[in-house]
Amino acid sequence: MGTHPRGDAIIRDNRIPQKTLGQWITDNPACLGAKVKDAFQGTLPFLFKVLSINTALSIQAHPNKELAAKLHAQFPEHYPDANHKPEMAIALTPFEGLCGFRPVEEIVSFLQTAEGKDISGSNGDLLLRLHSQYPGDIGCFTIYFLNLVRLEPGEAMFLGANEPHAYLHGDCVECMACSDNTVRAGLTPKFIDVLTLCEMLNYTPAPSSSKIFPAVQSQLDPSVYLFDPPVPDFAIMKIEIPASIKLYLVSAVDSASILLVIQGTAVGTSTAAASEMTLRRGSVLFISANESISLHLSSPDGMLLFRACCLL
């Protein structure tokens, strides 16, 4: 969900002549909000995704802006743009991922255990699971070096530039800067660039608990929990509307945003829309800056929404 050239979102409203979201924003740049339009040269600065992971995704990291520009200039077939790609994953189900280097004493302990050929326990089980997915891939052994982070639904982890990581299992929503630059080194059939990855990585060790990124409950709206990472490109709001509320206002913000329905049903109305919108699990709305949406809930269990935006 976004406007990257490799996956420009399709607009499903047949009353709109532009076929993709990128084309519509180009023709209506004010929809981004004044600050976002100026800061990001008239483009939507984020991508919004839903991932359902059964087979581990590649061991990877994302370059900072300086390295991204260099890689794109040298190898545009592998690095398709010049942007950085910080990202955040918020768990929808119990979620497992590798993120950042473990404390050194943990690494030493695990390697000593592995040298003794004892691979029992959770690390051994994970090693065997990865080996069954990627037989013979040395990347399976990164579990001894990288933190295993387990998230419960609603918990998040943020991945800045040069942070080694891999998503292993579970469902999540993910938001990132508008980029497709990924440097891979294992657990993948895709292009592998070990030299670049080893040169760029952040090797600072830290415990797994430090990788979990907290949400802050809004003081203005107790239904809203904000994940605001230390980058300007994006932020994510989790909106939990209780069953007791039948009319809810998705407040206006000074940024274009993308709203995703995870749970519940409602009819949405706004001053910008010519007709009512039926929203259900999987519905996606693009909301222009400074526009609000009124939701008339029809589900008995409330609603769960995620909203990606840019809060400059």
Short mmCIF file of all heavy atoms in Angstrom, two decimals, residues 18-58:
data_model
loop_
_atom_site.label_atom_id
_atom_site.label_comp_id
_atom_site.label_asym_id
_atom_site.label_seq_id
_atom_site.Cartn_x
_atom_site.Cartn_y
_atom_site.Cartn_z
N GLN A 18 -7.68 8.61 -12.55
CA GLN A 18 -6.33 8.10 -12.34
C GLN A 18 -6.40 6.65 -11.85
O GLN A 18 -7.21 6.32 -10.99
CB GLN A 18 -5.57 8.94 -11.31
CG GLN A 18 -5.38 10.39 -11.73
CD GLN A 18 -6.53 11.29 -11.27
OE1 GLN A 18 -7.60 10.80 -10.91
NE2 GLN A 18 -6.32 12.59 -11.32
N LYS A 19 -5.55 5.79 -12.37
CA LYS A 19 -5.61 4.37 -12.05
C LYS A 19 -4.82 4.01 -10.80
O LYS A 19 -5.10 3.02 -10.14
CB LYS A 19 -5.10 3.54 -13.24
CG LYS A 19 -5.94 3.68 -14.50
CD LYS A 19 -7.38 3.28 -14.26
CE LYS A 19 -8.20 3.40 -15.54
NZ LYS A 19 -9.63 3.14 -15.30
N THR A 20 -3.77 4.77 -10.50
CA THR A 20 -2.94 4.41 -9.35
C THR A 20 -2.89 5.56 -8.35
O THR A 20 -3.12 6.72 -8.69
CB THR A 20 -1.51 4.06 -9.77
OG1 THR A 20 -0.81 5.25 -10.16
CG2 THR A 20 -1.49 3.05 -10.91
N LEU A 21 -2.53 5.22 -7.12
CA LEU A 21 -2.43 6.22 -6.07
C LEU A 21 -1.34 7.24 -6.39
O LEU A 21 -1.51 8.43 -6.14
CB LEU A 21 -2.14 5.53 -4.73
CG LEU A 21 -2.03 6.44 -3.50
CD1 LEU A 21 -3.32 7.23 -3.28
CD2 LEU A 21 -1.69 5.61 -2.26
N GLY A 22 -0.23 6.78 -6.94
CA GLY A 22 0.85 7.70 -7.30
C GLY A 22 0.41 8.73 -8.31
O GLY A 22 0.75 9.92 -8.20
N GLN A 23 -0.36 8.31 -9.31
CA GLN A 23 -0.87 9.25 -10.32
C GLN A 23 -1.82 10.25 -9.68
O GLN A 23 -1.78 11.45 -9.99
CB GLN A 23 -1.59 8.47 -11.43
CG GLN A 23 -0.68 7.61 -12.28
CD GLN A 23 -1.45 6.64 -13.16
OE1 GLN A 23 -2.66 6.43 -12.99
NE2 GLN A 23 -0.76 6.03 -14.11
N TRP A 24 -2.67 9.78 -8.78
CA TRP A 24 -3.63 10.68 -8.15
C TRP A 24 -2.92 11.71 -7.29
O TRP A 24 -3.27 12.90 -7.30
CB TRP A 24 -4.64 9.87 -7.31
CG TRP A 24 -5.81 10.70 -6.87
CD1 TRP A 24 -6.94 10.97 -7.57
CD2 TRP A 24 -5.93 11.40 -5.62
NE1 TRP A 24 -7.78 11.78 -6.84
CE2 TRP A 24 -7.18 12.07 -5.64
CE3 TRP A 24 -5.11 11.52 -4.50
CZ2 TRP A 24 -7.63 12.83 -4.58
CZ3 TRP A 24 -5.56 12.29 -3.44
CH2 TRP A 24 -6.80 12.94 -3.48
N ILE A 25 -1.91 11.29 -6.52
CA ILE A 25 -1.18 12.24 -5.68
C ILE A 25 -0.43 13.26 -6.53
O ILE A 25 -0.38 14.45 -6.18
CB ILE A 25 -0.21 11.47 -4.75
CG1 ILE A 25 -1.02 10.71 -3.69
CG2 ILE A 25 0.78 12.42 -4.07
CD1 ILE A 25 -0.19 9.81 -2.80
N THR A 26 0.12 12.82 -7.65
CA THR A 26 0.80 13.77 -8.56
C THR A 26 -0.16 14.85 -9.03
O THR A 26 0.20 16.03 -9.14
CB THR A 26 1.39 13.01 -9.77
OG1 THR A 26 2.38 12.09 -9.30
CG2 THR A 26 2.03 13.98 -10.76
N ASP A 27 -1.40 14.47 -9.29
CA ASP A 27 -2.40 15.43 -9.75
C ASP A 27 -3.03 16.22 -8.61
O ASP A 27 -3.64 17.27 -8.85
CB ASP A 27 -3.51 14.70 -10.53
CG ASP A 27 -3.03 14.14 -11.85
OD1 ASP A 27 -1.95 14.57 -12.32
OD2 ASP A 27 -3.72 13.26 -12.41
N ASN A 28 -2.91 15.73 -7.39
CA ASN A 28 -3.52 16.38 -6.22
C ASN A 28 -2.51 16.46 -5.07
O ASN A 28 -2.74 15.91 -3.98
CB ASN A 28 -4.76 15.60 -5.77
CG ASN A 28 -5.81 15.48 -6.86
OD1 ASN A 28 -6.66 16.34 -7.01
ND2 ASN A 28 -5.76 14.38 -7.61
N PRO A 29 -1.39 17.15 -5.26
CA PRO A 29 -0.31 17.12 -4.26
C PRO A 29 -0.70 17.70 -2.90
O PRO A 29 -0.09 17.35 -1.89
CB PRO A 29 0.81 17.93 -4.91
CG PRO A 29 0.11 18.81 -5.92
CD PRO A 29 -1.04 17.99 -6.42
N ALA A 30 -1.72 18.57 -2.86
CA ALA A 30 -2.13 19.15 -1.58
C ALA A 30 -2.66 18.08 -0.63
O ALA A 30 -2.69 18.30 0.59
CB ALA A 30 -3.20 20.21 -1.81
N CYS A 31 -3.03 16.92 -1.16
CA CYS A 31 -3.56 15.84 -0.30
C CYS A 31 -2.52 15.35 0.69
O CYS A 31 -2.87 14.75 1.71
CB CYS A 31 -4.05 14.68 -1.15
SG CYS A 31 -2.72 13.67 -1.87
N LEU A 32 -1.23 15.60 0.41
CA LEU A 32 -0.18 15.11 1.29
C LEU A 32 -0.08 15.92 2.58
O LEU A 32 0.44 15.41 3.58
CB LEU A 32 1.18 15.18 0.56
CG LEU A 32 1.36 14.27 -0.65
CD1 LEU A 32 2.63 14.62 -1.39
CD2 LEU A 32 1.37 12.80 -0.22
N GLY A 33 -0.58 17.13 2.57
CA GLY A 33 -0.34 18.06 3.67
C GLY A 33 0.86 18.92 3.34
O GLY A 33 1.83 18.46 2.72
N ALA A 34 0.83 20.17 3.74
CA ALA A 34 1.86 21.13 3.32
C ALA A 34 3.26 20.70 3.76
O ALA A 34 4.22 20.74 2.96
CB ALA A 34 1.53 22.52 3.87
N LYS A 35 3.41 20.28 5.02
CA LYS A 35 4.74 19.91 5.52
C LYS A 35 5.28 18.68 4.80
O LYS A 35 6.45 18.64 4.41
CB LYS A 35 4.68 19.64 7.02
CG LYS A 35 4.43 20.88 7.88
CD LYS A 35 4.40 20.50 9.36
CE LYS A 35 4.15 21.71 10.24
NZ LYS A 35 4.09 21.33 11.68
N VAL A 36 4.44 17.68 4.61
CA VAL A 36 4.87 16.44 3.97
C VAL A 36 5.21 16.71 2.50
O VAL A 36 6.23 16.22 1.98
CB VAL A 36 3.80 15.35 4.10
CG1 VAL A 36 4.20 14.09 3.33
CG2 VAL A 36 3.57 15.01 5.56
N LYS A 37 4.37 17.49 1.83
CA LYS A 37 4.61 17.79 0.42
C LYS A 37 5.96 18.47 0.23
O LYS A 37 6.73 18.13 -0.68
CB LYS A 37 3.49 18.68 -0.13
CG LYS A 37 3.66 19.08 -1.60
CD LYS A 37 2.42 19.76 -2.13
CE LYS A 37 2.23 21.15 -1.52
NZ LYS A 37 3.23 22.13 -2.05
N ASP A 38 6.29 19.42 1.10
CA ASP A 38 7.56 20.14 0.97
C ASP A 38 8.75 19.27 1.37
O ASP A 38 9.79 19.28 0.71
CB ASP A 38 7.54 21.41 1.84
CG ASP A 38 6.55 22.45 1.31
OD1 ASP A 38 6.12 22.32 0.15
OD2 ASP A 38 6.19 23.36 2.08
N ALA A 39 8.59 18.50 2.44
CA ALA A 39 9.71 17.72 2.96
C ALA A 39 10.07 16.55 2.05
O ALA A 39 11.24 16.16 1.96
CB ALA A 39 9.39 17.20 4.35
N PHE A 40 9.08 15.99 1.35
CA PHE A 40 9.32 14.79 0.54
C PHE A 40 9.03 15.01 -0.94
O PHE A 40 8.71 14.06 -1.66
CB PHE A 40 8.51 13.63 1.10
CG PHE A 40 8.94 13.21 2.48
CD1 PHE A 40 8.27 13.68 3.61
CD2 PHE A 40 10.03 12.37 2.67
CE1 PHE A 40 8.68 13.32 4.89
CE2 PHE A 40 10.44 12.00 3.94
CZ PHE A 40 9.77 12.47 5.06
N GLN A 41 9.16 16.26 -1.40
CA GLN A 41 9.10 16.60 -2.82
C GLN A 41 7.83 16.06 -3.51
O GLN A 41 7.88 15.50 -4.60
CB GLN A 41 10.34 16.07 -3.58
CG GLN A 41 11.66 16.75 -3.17
CD GLN A 41 12.18 16.23 -1.83
OE1 GLN A 41 12.31 15.01 -1.65
NE2 GLN A 41 12.48 17.12 -0.91
N GLY A 42 6.71 16.23 -2.83
CA GLY A 42 5.43 15.88 -3.44
C GLY A 42 5.16 14.40 -3.56
O GLY A 42 4.34 13.99 -4.40
N THR A 43 5.82 13.59 -2.76
CA THR A 43 5.59 12.14 -2.80
C THR A 43 5.15 11.62 -1.44
O THR A 43 5.46 12.21 -0.40
CB THR A 43 6.86 11.38 -3.23
OG1 THR A 43 7.89 11.62 -2.25
CG2 THR A 43 7.34 11.85 -4.59
N LEU A 44 4.43 10.50 -1.44
CA LEU A 44 4.04 9.84 -0.19
C LEU A 44 5.29 9.15 0.38
O LEU A 44 5.89 8.32 -0.30
CB LEU A 44 2.95 8.81 -0.47
CG LEU A 44 2.29 8.17 0.75
CD1 LEU A 44 1.42 9.18 1.49
CD2 LEU A 44 1.45 6.96 0.33
N PRO A 45 5.70 9.46 1.61
CA PRO A 45 7.02 9.01 2.07
C PRO A 45 7.07 7.62 2.68
O PRO A 45 8.13 7.20 3.15
CB PRO A 45 7.37 10.07 3.13
CG PRO A 45 6.06 10.51 3.67
CD PRO A 45 5.10 10.46 2.52
N PHE A 46 5.96 6.89 2.68
CA PHE A 46 5.98 5.59 3.35
C PHE A 46 5.27 4.52 2.53
O PHE A 46 4.48 4.81 1.63
CB PHE A 46 5.33 5.68 4.74
CG PHE A 46 3.91 6.21 4.73
CD1 PHE A 46 2.85 5.37 4.46
CD2 PHE A 46 3.65 7.55 5.00
CE1 PHE A 46 1.54 5.87 4.45
CE2 PHE A 46 2.36 8.05 4.99
CZ PHE A 46 1.30 7.20 4.71
N LEU A 47 5.59 3.27 2.86
CA LEU A 47 4.89 2.09 2.36
C LEU A 47 4.27 1.37 3.56
O LEU A 47 4.86 1.33 4.64
CB LEU A 47 5.85 1.12 1.65
CG LEU A 47 6.51 1.60 0.37
CD1 LEU A 47 7.55 0.58 -0.09
CD2 LEU A 47 5.48 1.82 -0.72
N PHE A 48 3.10 0.79 3.34
CA PHE A 48 2.37 0.11 4.40
C PHE A 48 2.08 -1.31 3.90
O PHE A 48 1.63 -1.49 2.77
CB PHE A 48 1.07 0.88 4.66
CG PHE A 48 0.43 0.63 6.00
CD1 PHE A 48 1.15 0.17 7.09
CD2 PHE A 48 -0.93 0.88 6.17
CE1 PHE A 48 0.54 -0.02 8.31
CE2 PHE A 48 -1.55 0.69 7.39
CZ PHE A 48 -0.81 0.23 8.47
N LYS A 49 2.37 -2.32 4.72
CA LYS A 49 2.24 -3.71 4.28
C LYS A 49 1.58 -4.56 5.35
O LYS A 49 1.56 -4.22 6.53
CB LYS A 49 3.62 -4.31 3.98
CG LYS A 49 4.40 -3.63 2.87
CD LYS A 49 5.73 -4.34 2.63
CE LYS A 49 6.52 -3.68 1.52
NZ LYS A 49 7.81 -4.39 1.26
N VAL A 50 1.07 -5.71 4.91
CA VAL A 50 0.68 -6.78 5.81
C VAL A 50 1.49 -8.00 5.39
O VAL A 50 1.53 -8.36 4.21
CB VAL A 50 -0.82 -7.11 5.72
CG1 VAL A 50 -1.18 -8.23 6.69
CG2 VAL A 50 -1.66 -5.87 6.02
N LEU A 51 2.17 -8.63 6.35
CA LEU A 51 2.98 -9.81 6.07
C LEU A 51 2.45 -11.00 6.87
O LEU A 51 2.11 -10.86 8.04
CB LEU A 51 4.44 -9.58 6.47
CG LEU A 51 5.18 -8.40 5.80
CD1 LEU A 51 6.60 -8.32 6.32
CD2 LEU A 51 5.18 -8.56 4.30
N SER A 52 2.37 -12.15 6.21
CA SER A 52 2.03 -13.40 6.87
C SER A 52 3.16 -14.37 6.59
O SER A 52 3.32 -14.83 5.47
CB SER A 52 0.69 -13.94 6.36
OG SER A 52 0.29 -15.07 7.10
N ILE A 53 3.95 -14.66 7.62
CA ILE A 53 5.23 -15.34 7.43
C ILE A 53 5.15 -16.76 7.95
O ILE A 53 4.93 -16.99 9.15
CB ILE A 53 6.35 -14.56 8.16
CG1 ILE A 53 6.45 -13.15 7.57
CG2 ILE A 53 7.69 -15.27 8.05
CD1 ILE A 53 6.90 -12.11 8.56
N ASN A 54 5.31 -17.71 7.06
CA ASN A 54 5.37 -19.11 7.44
C ASN A 54 6.78 -19.64 7.24
O ASN A 54 7.29 -20.42 8.05
CB ASN A 54 4.37 -19.94 6.64
CG ASN A 54 4.23 -21.35 7.16
OD1 ASN A 54 4.25 -21.56 8.37
ND2 ASN A 54 4.11 -22.32 6.27
N THR A 55 7.44 -19.23 6.14
CA THR A 55 8.84 -19.55 5.88
C THR A 55 9.66 -18.30 6.17
O THR A 55 9.30 -17.20 5.75
CB THR A 55 9.03 -19.97 4.41
OG1 THR A 55 8.22 -21.12 4.16
CG2 THR A 55 10.48 -20.31 4.13
N ALA A 56 10.77 -18.47 6.89
CA ALA A 56 11.59 -17.33 7.31
C ALA A 56 11.98 -16.45 6.12
O ALA A 56 12.33 -16.96 5.05
CB ALA A 56 12.85 -17.83 8.01
N LEU A 57 11.88 -15.13 6.32
CA LEU A 57 12.35 -14.19 5.30
C LEU A 57 13.85 -13.98 5.46
O LEU A 57 14.43 -14.26 6.51
CB LEU A 57 11.60 -12.86 5.43
CG LEU A 57 10.08 -12.95 5.34
CD1 LEU A 57 9.48 -11.54 5.30
CD2 LEU A 57 9.63 -13.73 4.12
N SER A 58 14.48 -13.44 4.43
CA SER A 58 15.94 -13.41 4.35
C SER A 58 16.59 -12.63 5.49
O SER A 58 16.03 -11.69 6.04
CB SER A 58 16.36 -12.79 3.01
OG SER A 58 15.83 -11.49 2.87
#
